Amino acid sequence: EVRRVAYSGGLEFCFDPQERWLGIASSEKDKDYALVPLDASGPPLSSDLLIRRTIACDPSGKYVATRGQDPKLVEIRSPSTGALVKSLRHTDTVMKAVFDSSGESVATLDSGHNRLIHFWRVAGTGKEGEEIATREATDVFDIVFSPGGEYLAAMAHGLIDFHRWKPESLLSEARRRAPPRLVGVSPP
């Protein structure tokens, strides 16, 4: 069986991990898509949830991240109800959002003059995600987490940077690099 969906513009898409639906994002301005059901016996999908410019599916299939009507906002929503779960506010237009393998964190790429990768904690209560780190991302056009979530690959023209980003990894790296005479830091 083949199912076709028409689209226009550059394309980004993700499958629900349980393969119940497909999310499509177009690079064309003012071109929004609803989630595409793949399994008629699956849970209902919100017809109010529109995907704008970027899409990421969390590993559990409970949430989808997409750019809001405000291009400086990433919205994490329920695919079944369309309800807003978290907001990630940026100072520049958002190009990309990706969940890590746990679904507890999201990385976003903005399109500002000094392009940045933002790392967000989205687990827990509250409507706003917590920004936990940023990295410079000159000329980066795509980002993707490693399967274990330890690294984020940032792709630029002819280069790929690998960022360790988990808080425990950053702490152990800082301890390893710190001079031994700093108070409270023991040598490796």
Side-chain angles (χ1 to χ4, degrees):
E1 174 184 347
V2 174
R3 179 159 186 203
R4 286 200 174 139
V5 175
Y7 70 90
S8 62
L11 188 66
E12 184 176 307
F13 60 93
C14 73
F15 280 96
D16 161 53
Q18 284 81 39
E19 298 183 357
R20 299 169 297 189
W21 48 264
L22 174 73
I24 300 171
S26 172
S27 63
E28 285 191 8
K29 188 175 183 177
D30 301 324
K31 190 69 174 170
D32 304 333
Y33 291 96
L35 297 176
V36 178
L38 298 174
D39 180 357
S41 65
L45 296 173
S46 170
S47 58
D48 296 330
L49 174 58
L50 296 177
I51 306 305
R52 296 177 184 93
R53 300 297 290 256
T54 187
I55 184 164
C57 302
D58 95 302
S60 71
K62 292 184 203 171
Y63 307 110
V64 62
T66 186
R67 195 165 85 182
Q69 284 192 324
D70 175 347
K72 297 177 182 179
L73 184 70
V74 170
E75 298 174 340
I76 299 176
R77 294 187 171 269
S78 162
S80 58
T81 67
L84 180 64
V85 178
K86 294 274 184 197
S87 295
L88 312 177
R89 172 73 52 196
H90 295 73
T91 56
D92 287 298
T93 298
V94 177
M95 294 175 49
K96 178 88 174 185
V98 292
F99 280 95
D100 76 344
S101 58
S102 72
E104 295 179 359
S105 299
V106 170
T108 58
L109 176 64
D110 72 30
S111 63
H113 176 68
N114 295 322
R115 197 170 282 179
L116 293 173
I117 298 169
H118 304 263
F119 295 93
W120 303 85
R121 179 168 288 122
V122 295
T125 60
K127 290 290 186 185
E128 296 289 323
E130 174 190 3
E131 187 173 29
I132 53 178
T134 59
R135 296 283 189 276
E136 195 172 295
T138 306
D139 295 329
V140 170
F141 61 87
D142 200 5
I143 54 176
V144 64
F145 276 107
S146 64
E150 181 74 21
Y151 295 94
L152 181 91
M155 288 153 260
H157 301 282
L159 298 170
I160 300 175
D161 291 333
F162 295 93
H163 300 270
R164 289 183 82 179
W165 77 274
K166 284 189 174 182
E168 57 273 13
S169 299
L170 296 175
L171 280 174
S172 65
E173 185 175 325
R175 284 189 184 111
R176 186 178 55 76
R177 292 181 178 192
R181 61 184 175 270
L182 282 178
V183 177
V185 177
S186 57

